[in-house]
Amino acid sequence: MARLRTEIPGPRSRELGERREAAVAAGVGSTLPVFVDHAEPGLLVDVDGNRLIDLASGIAVTGVGNPAPRVAAVVHEQVDRFTHTCFMVTPYEGYVEVCERLAELTPGSHDKRSVLLNSGAEAVENAVKIARCATGRPGVVALDHAYHGRTNLTMALTAKEMPYKRGFGPFAPEVRRVPGSYPLHDGLGGAEAARRAVAAVGRPDEVACVVVEPVQGEGGFIVPAPGFLPELAAWCRAHGVLLVADEVQTGFCRTGSWFACDHEGVVPDLVTTAKGIAGGLPLSAVTGRAEVMDAVHAGGLGGTYGGNPVACAAALGAVDTMRELDLNAAARRVEAVALPRLAALPGAVQARGRGAMLAVELASAEVAGRVAARCHAAGVVVLTCGTRGNVIRLLPPLTIPDELLAEGLDVLEGAVE
């Protein structure tokens, strides 16, 4: 259970915060300024001995647990063997094995290839590179409320101005933004929302790809209306446009299936993954149709650290853990417990989400901020999101003990009330 020994943040965290101010760039923010000493199942223990319930998982990264025993074991084994060679210089089996797992797990039974990278933004950027090379077209389509990263190109794809884009332009050209599906606010069915989206694209013969989050993350954990993604995929096929599914936050059991596209049987041409892929180590990937991925010339993809052997070992350990513990079923159990309680919160505009990717939209950013602050003060780590900042999002570890999830929801209910 959560246990607070000091106020939040405590004296040791405040001391470290002063050192941080003198050494770390002010542009790097933190949701909760406590410094973590170690983690236990479903808990973060700070340097003052406070035990905080973790309903954030490092933004959906530590879904397999923190620490995760199998991940820790294979990482130690790999570190003892070697830490780096650069796959582009002298390759190693772990990189190949991760790509084999991705070909097996990602949607579709077609022949696939993968490239391994470091971050979600890097994966999205490389997916666009690949799509442009394969199609010979420059245009990229993104949706309202999208979030795809902090690099120049992915900032162009991202909709939210503050804090992600303000002051950082000009951005990469040839990006077109179209309406997505936000059932609470647009009232449209999936097919109707998809028709509205593609009508705003313009000339499809100039478009290389449509980049879409199957459940929008930073935009507000927006689940599109049923039929939206299949209709969008059908339009892409009809016009030779590649569908890129950004599964960075939704992938690896987070929504109760291996990937969120699985819920409606959507098979994208390219899938980007990161976050939950490696149990806390930096790794990302682009996986796609073999003929699309292999359209890029040798040397056109890669990076010094992409597919680092330690991160690859962690990914293999994480996937083994997901299978052994059936974390898809665990995510569905989280949804069954938490979503009804979120829907019953006083002042809830809408509760929504899939699996262990859940949110409640509140009346305003001010209300959401006050609720989050009260949760933090009571020792529960929650996050906000939404283009208007008015959404509380929950991303608990998929391995969170039932009693900690219930206690965290109790605290959230008390904060709202």
Side-chain angles (χ1 to χ4, degrees):
M1 61 181 294
R3 184 177 69 243
L4 300 184
R5 293 182 173 177
T6 72
E7 71 279 16
I8 300 294
R12 178 66 176 139
S13 280
R14 292 197 300 271
E15 177 187 328
L16 289 169
E18 292 176 1
R19 289 172 54 189
R20 168 194 170 133
E21 287 182 9
V24 179
V28 182
S30 293
T31 298
L32 181 55
V34 299
F35 284 74
V36 174
D37 178 78
H38 65 277
E40 299 173 8
L43 292 167
L44 299 176
V45 183
D46 74 8
V47 291
D48 291 291
N50 297 304
R51 296 159 59 86
L52 299 95
I53 296 175
D54 182 12
L55 299 185
S57 301
I59 316 183
V61 169
T62 55
V64 294
N66 186 19
R70 180 177 287 272
V71 172
V74 296
V75 164
H76 282 293
E77 180 185 353
Q78 180 59 52
V79 166
D80 288 340
R81 293 171 59 216
F82 63 95
T83 59
H84 183 68
T85 67
C86 184
F87 189 78
M88 297 182 300
V89 178
T90 52
Y92 37 87
E93 185 177 2
Y95 189 116
V96 176
E97 193 170 357
V98 171
C99 293
E100 290 171 340
R101 297 285 185 92
L102 287 166
E104 174 190 354
L105 296 172
T106 52
S109 58
H110 50 277
D111 193 18
K112 302 171 190 171
R113 303 286 186 271
S114 293
V115 57
L116 303 184
L117 306 151
N118 302 288
S119 70
E122 193 177 351
V124 173
E125 187 132 350
N126 274 270
V128 171
K129 284 172 53 177
I130 293 163
R132 284 173 166 166
C133 190
T135 63
R137 302 173 180 179
V140 183
V141 172
L143 303 184
D144 285 344
H145 306 290
Y147 177 83
H148 296 291
R150 296 174 183 259
T151 61
N152 187 268
L153 174 57
T154 57
M155 280 191 295
L157 296 172
T158 292
K160 193 172 182 178
E161 177 74 14
M162 187 67 182
Y164 303 114
K165 302 174 69 169
R166 185 169 297 174
F168 299 137
F171 302 114
E174 303 296 341
V175 173
R176 312 174 187 185
R177 191 170 310 286
V178 303
S181 173
Y182 198 154
L184 174 65
H185 293 292
D186 61 35
L188 300 178
E192 188 178 2
R195 288 193 294 270
R196 181 183 64 166
V198 300
V201 168
R203 291 185 55 181
D205 61 346
E206 297 177 346
V207 176
C209 61
V210 174
V211 184
V212 59
E213 301 159 273
V215 177
Q216 289 188 310
E218 178 62 26
F221 279 32
I222 303 165
V223 181
F228 175 78
L229 291 175
E231 286 284 336
L232 191 61
W235 179 89
C236 287
R237 286 193 301 273
H239 293 279
V241 175
L242 299 180
L243 180 65
V244 179
D246 180 345
E247 293 257 15
V248 167
Q249 190 163 174
T250 53
F252 297 101
C253 308
R254 175 55 58 180
T255 66
S257 187
W258 281 102
F259 295 93
C261 282
D262 296 335
H263 292 284
E264 291 195 86
V266 172
V267 179
D269 300 291
L270 298 168
V271 180
T272 63
T273 51
K275 290 191 182 293
I277 190 175
L281 273 72
L283 186 69
S284 68
V286 183
T287 303
R289 298 185 182 278
E291 66 273 17
V292 173
M293 297 293 293
D294 288 344
V296 180
H297 52 276
L301 301 175
T304 301
Y305 291 104
N308 170 270
V310 180
C312 285
L316 296 171
V319 169
D320 286 346
T321 300
M322 293 172 201
R323 283 176 159 155
E324 289 174 10
L325 300 182
D326 193 0
L327 293 188
N328 283 314
R332 294 191 294 270
R333 286 197 301 273
V334 169
E335 179 182 346
V337 169
L339 193 57
R341 295 187 63 175
L342 294 178
L345 289 174
V349 177
Q350 185 187 55
R352 57 178 177 256
R354 284 194 172 124
M357 183 177 180
L358 302 172
V360 57
E361 183 163 337
L362 300 173
S364 67
E366 180 185 3
V367 171
R370 291 206 310 268
V371 168
R374 290 177 179 178
C375 288
H376 298 162
V380 176
V381 183
V382 299
L383 303 172
T384 60
C385 66
T387 302
R388 291 179 287 277
N390 63 327
V391 178
I392 299 287
R393 56 174 162 169
L394 305 182
L395 292 162
L398 306 178
T399 55
I400 189 169
D402 293 344
E403 62 274 15
L404 285 182
L405 177 61
E407 184 180 347
L409 293 169
D410 289 343
V411 169
L412 176 59
E413 288 177 354
V416 171
E417 291 170 355

